[in-house]
Amino acid sequence: MDIKLLLPLILLQVILMTIALLDLFKRDSSRIRGEVKWGWALVIVFVASAGPLMYLIFGRKH
């Protein structure tokens, strides 16, 4: 498989993960569902593309 085809997906994954982790660590624990930052950090890092999206959609209290 050509790396040029995977590069945009890898870049998107890194951007999503970075945005989600920065938001997670800036946000107060009381404004996170479940109030467990380390749990969300594990989801963001280990659940591929879905992890950052899950946090950004479901993890934050608005």
Side-chain angles (χ1 to χ4, degrees), residues 23-35:
D23 183 79
L24 175 67
F25 291 118
K26 286 191 326 184
R27 194 170 293 269
D28 186 59
S29 292
S30 66
R31 297 188 38 101
I32 297 172
R33 295 191 197 278
E35 298 181 13

Side-chain angles (χ1 to χ4, degrees), residues 47-58:
V47 184
S49 319
L53 293 175
M54 287 170 54
Y55 167 73
L56 291 171
I57 294 170
F58 302 114

Side-chain angles (χ1 to χ4, degrees), residues 3-54:
I3 189 71
K4 292 178 185 176
L5 296 175
L6 289 178
L7 193 57
L9 294 175
I10 294 169
L11 185 60
L12 178 63
Q13 172 64 25
V14 170
I15 290 170
L16 276 173
M17 190 181 310
T18 302
I19 290 170
L21 286 171
L22 288 174
D23 183 79
L24 175 67
F25 291 118
K26 286 191 326 184
R27 194 170 293 269
D28 186 59
S29 292
S30 66
R31 297 188 38 101
I32 297 172
R33 295 191 197 278
E35 298 181 13
V36 182
K37 284 188 175 188
W38 64 267
W40 277 111
L42 291 175
V43 169
I44 292 168
V45 172
F46 292 113
V47 184
S49 319
L53 293 175
M54 287 170 54

